[in-house]
Amino acid sequence: TAYEGDDGIANEGYEVFVSNNYRGPWTSLGNGAGTQSFDIAAFGSTARYVRIIDDNNGSLTEPTPGFDLEAIEGASIPGVYLVLESYYTDDSVYGNNNGIFEPGETVHLIASLHNTGSQDAINVLGELSESDPYISVDSSSSSFGDIVAGTSESNSSNPFVISALPSTPQGYVATLTLAVSEDSGYVDTFYFDIKVGAGGEFLIWDNDPNQSSGPMIQTALEAVGFGGIYTTDLSPYYDELQYYLAVFVCCGMYSDNNVIEATSPDAAALVNYVNAGGRMYLEGGDVWYWDPPYNNGYDFRPLFGINADDDGDSDLATVQGQGGTFTTGMSFSYNGENNYVDHINPTGTGFLIFRNSSPSYNGGVANDAGSYRTVGLSWEFSGLTDGSPPSTKEALADSIMHFFGISVVHDEKIRETKIPVIYGLSQSFPNPCDKNAVIAYQIPLKGEVSLKVYDVSGRLVDVLVEGEVKPGYYPVRLDTKSYVSGVYFYRLAAGGKVFTRKLIVVR
């Protein structure tokens, strides 16, 4: 409930948003006038932050313009209502006590539950399970005791115990299931992710406002066997970049582009990562020629072995690989965003990897500086049109990783362990989402698979998979740009089993 203060003007207008992060994304709960209550069901069961935006319908010359917010009150839910508040792993007992759940290690898993309901939860029990080839639950039952309404309790006195196989890839993310119950008959199930090891084979920071390239780079990398993270916010990873074998950064093309400002913590984190021996890919139409001198952008050119000599035009047509490099034999028609394509040339230890055919100018430079390696492009990966091999986005992604010195292990014994042992469906990521989400499913046997999206009324919205599929793990890219804001459900039917998860789309 948002309470309006008394300034003599009643029922002033505003809009209410909620989020679990002060930086967003924000989900609108609707418009209000005066003191009014809102249901956060469209967002979830709880929200940590509330944002009030005035409707801008008053006059700046008034003595008290705008909605006068007096207070925000969060209402409790009748009865018992438990929320998975937090969770973490502790490797101080069985592991090496470095604070990281690593491959081959056994750890305690401690969870905290919060009772947002109006009734005390008595004798809360938890049962942990998994459906993952790399993770085992060694001690699955735990007690949270009594949880008084409005308070939280953890199972730190008798934590769950989980283990990761030694063959678990660094940065691997597993989904666990926690079923809870208490004496009044209340039951609920929570799904959450646990990362094994630190980092991963790649991290993609999609700094592009329209997020056109990042998801395609992720899809291509995963298709050739690499695993990693996609994010639109780099800040949570400042202290973790060192654990990723490669970092991919997308800044977009004018006018859908973002600047990495010279004095920003984003720039500092990336530069520190490269100077410490990292591998970094950076693409963008204005990153090289325009942003550094004219738009307060960080000057990545010396680090990438690049000299930029022209702001460019809208004339990118055919992108051609260069002989004697890892792009030998590649040629792509370009059909993406095409404004102010910077002309970039190699300098120092940099070398040319891509060139526009006509008009002729350079647009791709790789740099082997000895202690680190980089790849810089003045156009977008998403604009490439696949042709005959090696002229495919998957082949290019794989070639960049090989230039970075990163390869997929093709040991047959390791590959065999990656076949799932049971059917499963993961929570979409990110959730809530704006334009794109990734849904992953697994099947242990070849068979018919159906993966569909429905709205809250049960109307079919999207068919993602329909047909026979071989056993394995499958990430599916979901384009939600055409979806309206709200709650959706995606349903997997395979092997005579049905799984359903919730997806939230926000704008």
Side-chain angles (χ1 to χ4, degrees):
T1 300
Y3 289 90
E4 182 181 29
D6 184 9
D7 65 347
I9 304 174
N11 297 321
E12 293 172 299
Y14 57 95
E15 187 172 5
V16 176
F17 299 81
V18 293
S19 177
N20 280 323
N21 189 308
Y22 75 96
R23 300 180 62 174
W26 296 94
T27 299
S28 174
L29 300 184
N31 298 305
T35 297
Q36 187 169 322
S37 296
F38 299 82
D39 187 351
I40 67 170
F43 174 77
S45 58
T46 62
R48 185 172 184 182
Y49 297 94
V50 179
R51 183 181 186 184
I52 307 292
I53 298 182
D54 182 71
D55 66 2
N56 200 29
N57 198 30
S59 171
L60 292 176
T61 61
E62 295 175 2
T64 55
F67 175 68
D68 302 284
L69 178 65
E70 183 172 275
I72 293 290
E73 179 184 38
S76 64
I77 300 171
V80 174
Y81 198 93
L82 300 177
V83 175
L84 179 60
E85 184 177 56
S86 63
Y87 55 91
Y88 65 94
T89 56
D90 177 8
D91 66 339
S92 63
V93 177
Y94 303 111
N96 58 16
N97 198 25
N98 67 351
I100 300 173
F101 181 23
E102 297 179 322
E105 197 169 41
T106 298
V107 298
H108 281 154
L109 175 64
I110 294 97
S112 177
L113 299 176
H114 182 79
N115 184 1
T116 65
S118 61
Q119 175 184 320
D120 295 350
I122 306 301
N123 188 29
V124 179
L125 302 176
E127 189 70 24
L128 187 69
S129 60
E130 51 75 29
S131 58
D132 192 277
Y134 292 112
I135 305 298
S136 65
V137 176
D138 306 322
S139 179
S140 61
S141 299
S142 185
S143 172
F144 294 81
D146 300 340
I147 307 179
V148 175
T151 68
S152 302
E153 294 291 343
S154 77
N155 66 332
S156 57
S157 62
N158 61 333
F160 301 112
V161 180
I162 60 175
S163 299
L165 291 178
S167 59
T168 308
Q170 284 285 343
Y172 180 78
V173 177
T175 300
L176 302 181
T177 302
L178 174 60
V180 297
S181 62
E182 59 87 51
D183 285 357
S184 72
Y186 173 87
V187 294
D188 205 348
T189 303
F190 306 107
Y191 303 92
F192 60 97
D193 292 335
I194 289 290
K195 179 188 284 189
V196 181
E201 289 168 323
F202 66 81
L203 179 143
I204 299 170
W205 175 34
D206 201 344
N207 191 39
D208 179 356
N210 64 17
Q211 299 167 10
S212 57
S213 249
M216 285 198 179
I217 294 174
Q218 182 183 19
T219 299
L221 288 171
E222 290 176 343
V224 293
F226 296 103
I229 294 294
Y230 170 92
T231 182
T232 57
D233 181 5
L234 188 63
S235 61
Y237 300 94
Y238 288 162
D239 297 328
E240 296 184 14
L241 288 183
Q242 59 181 313
Y243 300 118
Y244 290 89
L245 301 183
V247 172
F248 289 73
V249 180
C250 308
C251 290
M253 308 286 286
Y254 183 85
S255 58
D256 284 316
N257 63 309
N258 276 332
V259 179
I260 304 176
E261 295 184 355
T263 57
S264 68
D266 292 332
L270 293 173
V271 172
N272 290 338
Y273 167 76
V274 174
N275 283 330
R279 302 325 196 222
M280 180 174 161
Y281 165 101
L282 174 61
E283 68 171 40
D286 283 346
V287 170
W288 311 107
Y289 181 86
W290 183 261
D291 285 348
Y294 305 113
N295 211 13
N296 193 36
Y298 186 86
D299 190 356
F300 287 98
R301 294 172 295 190
L303 204 62
F304 278 68
I306 286 176
N307 175 47
D309 62 6
D310 197 291
D311 194 26
D313 211 328
S314 306
D315 51 12
L316 196 60
T318 301
V319 176
Q320 296 180 324
Q322 299 298 293
T325 74
F326 60 86
T327 62
T328 297
M330 293 185 181
S331 180
F332 297 91
S333 295
Y334 187 83
N335 291 299
E337 297 170 64
N338 200 343
N339 293 313
Y340 296 105
V341 182
D342 288 350
H343 296 187
I344 59 176
N345 305 305
T347 184
T349 53
F351 57 94
L352 187 66
I353 57 172
F354 280 114
R355 184 174 180 82
N356 189 50
S357 58
S358 179
S360 180
Y361 59 85
N362 300 330
V365 172
N367 185 26
D368 183 355
S371 60
Y372 67 83
R373 294 185 181 185
T374 61
V375 170
L377 303 180
S378 59
W379 35 263
E380 292 187 311
F381 185 92
S382 60
L384 301 176
T385 299
D386 283 346
S388 301
S391 303
T392 68
K393 289 188 284 293
E394 289 182 9
L396 175 57
D398 191 47
S399 296
I400 291 173
M401 292 293 274
H402 278 266
F403 168 66
F404 285 162
I406 307 165
S407 301
V408 177
V409 178
H410 290 293
D411 185 285
E412 287 302 319
K413 293 181 180 179
I414 294 177
R415 291 177 65 187
E416 286 173 5
T417 67
K418 294 186 178 181
I419 300 299
V421 294
I422 65 173
Y423 293 88
L425 178 66
S426 74
Q427 176 60 55
S428 59
F429 178 83
N431 190 41
C433 70
D434 180 6
K435 300 175 181 178
N436 296 283
V438 176
I439 295 171
Y441 70 93
Q442 61 187 51
I443 59 171
L445 301 171
K446 181 179 180 181
E448 292 294 320
V449 171
S450 172
L451 181 59
K452 299 178 180 179
V453 181
Y454 301 85
D455 64 17
V456 291
S457 69
R459 181 179 64 88
L460 178 64
V461 175
D462 223 337
V463 177
L464 305 180
V465 180
E466 189 72 61
E468 190 174 73
V469 178
K470 295 179 180 179
Y473 298 88
Y474 295 95
V476 179
R477 177 70 56 185
L478 175 60
D479 184 348
T480 60
K481 296 186 184 71
S482 62
Y483 289 28
V484 299
S485 295
V487 178
Y488 295 83
F489 296 92
Y490 55 97
R491 178 178 180 271
L492 173 71
K497 302 179 183 296
V498 176
F499 304 85
T500 303
R501 291 285 185 99
K502 181 168 68 174
L503 165 75
I504 300 174
V505 176
V506 297
R507 292 286 184 262

